[in-house]
Amino acid sequence: MVPSFRAFLVALWAFSSLASALLPITIDGNMFVDSNGDPFVVVGVDYQPGGSSGYSDSESSDVLSDEDVCLRDAYLLQKLGVNTIRTYTVSPWLNHDACMSVLNAVGIYVILDVNSPLGGESIQRDDPANSYNEGYLKRVFSIVDAFMGYPNLLGFFAGNEVVNDATSASVSPPYIRAVQRDIKNYIALHANRTIPVGYSAADDSSLRVAGWEYFQCDSDEESLQISRSDFYGLNSYQWCSGRDDFQTSGYGVLETTFANSFIPLFFSEFGCNVIEPRTFTEINGGVYTESMLQVFDGGLVYEYSEEDNSYGLVKIGSDGSVTLKQDYANLQAAYANMTYKSFVSKSFIDTSRSSNCNATYIESIDSSFNASFSLPDCPAEAMLKSGSGNNNIGKWIALNSTQTTYNIYDVNDQKITNTEITVVSDQSQPESESSVTSSAAPSATSATTSTSGFGNTSLSTTASASTRATSSSAATAALVDAASPLVLTFAGLLGITLVL
């Protein structure tokens, strides 16, 4: 039976929709890469509305479980021009399918911390031995279970600023490497792809260097290979816009100090607010300059919503409405003026570097740093192998809506009438996901420029940091094989000879 023209169109649509879905970002040497093997530059925002105090394990929602809230914020994140957010705390027991699907739709990846501020749900920096236990790992593994099914999950942070002074530096580092080992082993046993795992360092000029050398270093020993960080984030507030430049901020020192990184580095938090409103001169004067992007793979501005520390880009009202701060408009303008796409290329990727573990050298950087590579054994070996028991395995779903019901107001308090997201990636779960390796990931760095009116404010904006991502070559080949009969049949009807 000859397939109908309608069947051919359906098959062609299925192929194109699959190709448009985001696929995992992976790592090649010192950089994140997309499916073409090109560098993926992190352009992002730290996202935790309500702050750490707003999280409770007894609540019926978290920051990634309310679809309408996510539609509201995804609209603004997309207009801002980001391709990545970092979220610090979520519940492993809630459903995140809708929010992760909304973020995928607008081309945004998520880097997720596995810990929470609640008791027993993080490593205690000054007493890691007592907090590194089976109950703690149950939460960690449950977080992995809940999010490993989303292709737009970029990676997990195993810890955030655990090492922040001499006391914590003297006891915590081996436990952080142990947690990274446990997460990576769990992913290898239970996920259908490799998911990067890393660490986010405190803004301490000495400890962050020692930590980088310690967490990135490798060895012939398998236990050290699996426990090292896949990426390393720096929380850095040393460039204050309106006050600093590349040299006075110390960015020149950062560039030199971290120049030979073995793994991807990026700013996991940045955006000093000593002078307000922030003008984010570090975007085009520092973070995204050609020399810095050969060392740091972009960064995440702290933070999306206004909390007690006054770092917010937007204010969220008690009724759920959002009002843009001038910081938002300034960051939007800075992102729109980035030129890194014109010079970042595969030549930025370096796979020749290595970092052999040397405790003596690391402790010479900071004498308080415990550079022991004798790691504690996993206290939950049975759970590691059998699973956490969390059946809340996430997956993309079809969007119920593309527009929030919440009101959004511009910097002049004028209501924005059209708050519909622009869908740049659909929700087709990539069939090839189970075969994705470190050489295949999506392209989410392309962006188009448009003009968006925010009340009386009109700014040139990057409409989306992600255009249609291409599938891996394996997926493409499989789809072509499946579609070949239909394609050849249709071509024959038109009198065209095709070679597939």
Side-chain angles (χ1 to χ4, degrees):
M1 179 178 178
V2 177
S4 67
F5 179 63
R6 173 181 171 80
F8 168 70
L9 290 180
V10 169
L12 191 62
W13 174 86
F15 177 86
S16 64
S17 64
L18 180 60
S20 71
L22 294 183
L23 295 176
I25 292 297
T26 54
I27 291 172
D28 189 9
N30 63 322
M31 299 205 76
F32 294 114
V33 294
D34 64 21
S35 60
N36 298 315
D38 293 318
F40 175 89
V41 176
V42 175
V43 180
V45 168
D46 296 305
Y47 179 84
Q48 189 73 34
S52 60
S53 62
Y55 173 75
S56 169
D57 56 4
S58 63
E59 294 293 330
S60 59
S61 65
D62 63 23
V63 296
L64 292 179
S65 66
D66 187 317
E67 183 175 13
D68 199 13
V69 169
C70 288
L71 279 168
R72 177 197 69 193
D73 296 341
Y75 166 79
L76 290 173
L77 291 166
Q78 186 176 45
K79 290 298 182 184
L80 190 59
V82 306
N83 60 22
T84 308
I85 63 170
R86 174 191 183 179
T87 297
Y88 295 83
T89 308
V90 293
S91 168
W93 318 117
L94 298 177
N95 188 296
H96 305 98
D97 291 352
C99 281
M100 290 298 288
S101 299
V102 167
L103 291 169
N104 166 71
V106 297
I108 291 178
Y109 289 87
V110 177
I111 305 175
L112 185 65
D113 288 59
V114 299
N115 301 296
S116 99
L118 302 182
E121 297 189 352
S122 64
I123 293 294
Q124 295 177 23
R125 57 172 55 94
D126 296 338
D127 186 18
N130 284 328
S131 54
Y132 178 60
N133 52 47
E134 185 174 6
Y136 165 67
L137 286 179
K138 180 174 179 61
R139 175 199 160 75
V140 172
F141 294 160
S142 296
I143 287 287
V144 175
D145 283 332
F147 282 85
M148 65 185 181
Y150 302 119
N152 58 329
L153 175 74
L154 194 155
F156 292 111
F157 274 121
N160 177 61
E161 299 188 354
V162 181
V163 176
N164 70 347
D165 58 18
T167 301
S168 56
S170 69
V171 290
S172 289
Y175 288 88
I176 300 169
R177 277 197 77 130
V179 173
Q180 292 183 156
R181 173 201 64 200
D182 298 343
I183 295 173
K184 293 166 78 170
N185 279 332
Y186 191 87
I187 289 169
L189 288 170
H190 301 283
N192 60 6
R193 68 176 174 101
T194 298
I195 303 171
V197 178
Y199 177 72
S200 179
D203 193 358
D204 182 292
S205 60
S206 175
L207 289 174
R208 68 188 177 194
V209 178
W212 163 63
E213 293 283 11
Y214 178 77
F215 292 121
Q216 76 158 345
C217 77
D218 208 348
S219 168
D220 292 335
E221 295 181 35
E222 185 178 351
S223 62
L224 291 186
Q225 291 174 2
I226 195 69
S227 68
R228 74 177 181 88
S229 296
D230 294 319
F231 58 83
Y232 191 74
L234 268 66
N235 295 344
S236 174
Y237 296 88
Q238 58 199 73
W239 184 315
C240 298
S241 54
R243 185 192 74 183
D244 290 316
D245 57 25
F246 194 82
Q247 295 305 324
T248 63
S249 65
Y251 268 41
V253 175
L254 285 178
E255 184 182 293
T256 302
T257 301
F258 293 96
N260 296 312
S261 184
F262 179 47
I263 58 176
L265 299 171
F266 62 97
F267 292 98
S268 42
E269 295 177 6
F270 74 96
C272 167
N273 68 347
V274 168
I275 299 175
E276 297 185 81
R278 295 177 288 177
T279 54
F280 298 102
T281 53
E282 66 267 48
I283 295 291
N284 292 298
V287 179
Y288 297 95
T289 57
E290 185 169 0
S291 62
M292 280 290 279
L293 283 175
Q294 295 183 60
V295 181
F296 292 91
D297 202 353
L300 302 153
V301 168
Y302 192 83
E303 65 180 322
Y304 176 73
S305 58
E306 182 82 345
E307 309 301 336
D308 293 339
N309 53 17
S310 299
Y311 278 93
L313 302 172
V314 306
K315 292 182 178 180
I316 301 176
S318 58
D319 60 353
S321 64
V322 170
T323 302
L324 307 186
K325 293 179 59 181
Q326 188 61 44
D327 284 38
Y328 178 99
N330 292 344
L331 181 58
Q332 184 186 46
Y335 278 158
N337 288 326
M338 292 187 301
T339 61
Y340 73 87
K341 297 180 194 300
S342 67
F343 55 78
V344 171
S345 69
K346 291 180 181 178
S347 66
F348 282 47
I349 299 170
D350 191 335
T351 58
S352 66
R353 301 171 185 170
S354 63
S355 178
N356 295 320
C357 292
N358 185 330
T360 301
Y361 168 65
I362 293 167
E363 290 175 355
S364 72
I365 298 172
D366 191 300
S367 60
S368 69
F369 198 94
N370 181 352
S372 171
F373 293 100
S374 297
L375 309 184
D377 294 334
C378 176
E381 283 288 350
M383 187 194 309
L384 173 65
K385 295 174 182 177
S386 64
S388 73
N390 185 10
N391 295 319
N392 179 35
I393 310 298
K395 65 182 182 303
W396 284 340
I397 60 174
L399 301 187
N400 293 312
S401 175
T402 56
Q403 184 163 353
T404 183
T405 63
Y406 289 106
N407 292 327
I408 300 176
Y409 301 91
D410 66 17
V411 294
N412 299 310
D413 291 326
Q414 299 298 307
K415 182 179 177 180
I416 300 171
T417 56
N418 181 8
T419 58
E420 187 170 11
I421 62 171
T422 300
V423 176
V424 298
S425 179
D426 74 14
Q427 314 309 315
S428 301
Q429 200 80 8
E431 293 177 3
S432 63
E433 187 183 333
S434 61
S435 64
V436 170
T437 66
S438 62
S439 62
S443 175
T445 56
S446 301
T448 56
T449 301
S450 64
T451 300
S452 175
F454 279 54
N456 296 329
T457 306
S458 181
L459 294 173
S460 175
T461 113
T462 306
S464 169
S466 174
T467 55
R468 294 186 172 272
T470 57
S471 62
S472 69
S473 58
T476 303
L479 285 165
V480 168
D481 288 343
S484 290
L486 292 174
V487 174
L488 291 171
T489 298
F490 180 60
L493 293 174
L494 297 178
I496 299 172
T497 301
L498 295 177
V499 177
L500 296 178

